[in-house]
Amino acid sequence: MRSPRRCSRNGCPRQAVATLTYVYNESTAVVGPLAAFAEPHTYDLCEPHARSLTAPRGWEVVRHEGEFEPPPPTTDDLVALAEAVREAARPAPRPPSEDQNQNAQSTPPSTSRRGHLRVIPPTH
C-alpha cells in the first residue's frame, strides 16, 4: 500500500495537508490545500509548518485561510487494502495426512509460487 505523502521539512514525520508553491516573478509564496499529485518545484507541508511558514523579506505569503484536511484515500490505497484483506482471509493449508507423509518421503519437496512469495513446504 502506498504511504501518505509526508511533510517536506527535514525531520518532520507528519502527513502533508498543504502544498507550497513559489511564484518567483511575483516574489510570492503560495500555501494552499494539498495538490492532487506531487509536482516538481512544490513542497508538501503538514499543518503546523503550513501555518507558520514565513517568506524572505520583500516576499508576500498567500495562505489558504480554511482548514487543511488530509486527503481522502485513493482507489490505489483501497485496492491494496482489499487485496491484503483477501490474502489474509485465505484458509491456511491443511497439514498433510499419513498417506501424504509417506509419499512426501519418497519424492523431493516441491515449491509453489503465490505472487512474489514462494511457499516451501516443511521437511520432516
Side-chain angles (χ1 to χ4, degrees), residues 2-121:
R2 190 169 45 108
S3 62
R5 286 164 41 195
R6 298 284 176 207
C7 183
S8 296
R9 296 289 300 261
N10 286 337
C12 183
R14 294 186 206 84
Q15 182 178 3
V17 295
T19 297
L20 166 64
T21 307
Y22 289 108
V23 183
Y24 292 98
N25 61 349
E26 296 179 17
S27 300
T28 304
V30 179
V31 180
L34 187 64
F37 301 101
E39 297 284 336
H41 310 292
T42 63
Y43 303 91
D44 295 335
L45 299 174
C46 63
E47 187 164 5
H49 285 127
R51 298 248 181 246
S52 65
L53 178 87
T54 59
R57 187 173 296 144
W59 281 58
E60 181 182 359
V61 176
V62 176
R63 194 181 324 267
H64 173 72
E65 293 300 324
E67 292 295 316
F68 291 113
E69 296 183 18
T74 64
T75 56
D76 292 343
D77 294 338
L78 296 175
V79 168
L81 180 60
E83 288 174 359
V85 169
R86 196 174 302 123
E87 180 70 24
R90 285 190 181 150
R94 289 183 281 160
S97 66
E98 285 298 317
D99 293 336
Q100 291 175 338
N101 279 341
Q102 290 172 356
N103 290 339
Q105 291 173 359
S106 62
T107 60
S110 63
T111 61
S112 63
R113 290 187 65 87
R114 179 181 287 169
H116 64 283
L117 302 176
R118 181 174 293 168
V119 178
I120 302 174

